[in-house]
Amino acid sequence: MDINVLANQLGKLAKVKKVSDSEFEIDTGARINAHNPITIYLTEKNGALYFSDHKMTLKYMSQIYELKSIDVKNCIAAVIKHYGFNVISGELFSQIKSDASLIETYYNIIMCIGQLAHMYVFFDNP
């Protein structure tokens, strides 16, 4: 897989801007709310390709939720597990396993971010 080829494919769905030789910023057009667009990054690291949120989701969530609450932690873990993503040091990311999985993974990370940002509907008090 070539990062430039994948970025070109994503350019048919969203605004793609080259940040460096190993990273592209993707303006998905989706929004968490009026003030928070969902921007993701296509990154190449150690020969693998990933989508990342650059810690945007958990930064946003920390303004709304008590992230140390066991209920909130469990809900976050369940959403992340459902999509098969990972969080390391506050960064949500997913490896792109093949060219064929690019579009599915792209939409899944947008949906995952949206579900995490709006999980308050499951709680009496965030």
Side-chain angles (χ1 to χ4, degrees):
M1 291 187 297
D2 179 274
I3 191 169
N4 294 300
V5 171
L6 295 184
N8 195 28
Q9 289 177 0
L10 289 169
K12 298 172 186 172
L13 303 172
K15 294 178 186 173
V16 177
K17 179 175 114 180
K18 190 170 190 169
V19 176
S20 71
D21 287 340
S22 61
E23 187 166 71
F24 289 84
E25 180 182 277
I26 304 162
D27 176 356
T28 65
R31 305 183 75 71
I32 291 173
N33 59 32
H35 305 290
N36 297 93
I38 297 177
T39 302
I40 59 175
Y41 298 83
L42 173 64
T43 305
E44 184 173 26
K45 238 185 225 179
N46 301 323
L49 294 168
Y50 300 88
F51 281 123
S52 164
D53 74 341
H54 277 211
K55 302 182 181 183
M56 179 271 310
T57 306
L58 286 179
K59 283 181 187 176
Y60 173 79
M61 291 174 67
S62 70
Q63 298 170 9
I64 297 172
Y65 305 107
E66 177 54 54
L67 294 180
K68 293 182 182 187
S69 162
I70 194 70
D71 289 340
V72 173
K73 283 182 179 182
N74 287 340
C75 192
I76 291 170
V79 171
I80 291 169
K81 181 179 178 183
H82 172 76
Y83 288 101
F85 295 163
N86 295 295
V87 173
I88 295 180
S89 299
E91 181 175 25
L92 175 69
F93 69 93
S94 176
Q95 184 174 359
I96 302 165
K97 295 181 171 81
S98 68
D99 290 353
S101 70
L102 174 71
I103 303 304
E104 180 181 3
T105 307
Y106 169 75
Y107 283 119
N108 280 343
I109 197 165
I110 294 169
M111 290 189 306
C112 182
I113 291 169
Q115 283 187 326
L116 289 170
H118 294 100
M119 67 183 195
Y120 60 82
V121 299
F122 298 108
F123 303 108
D124 293 331
N125 294 309

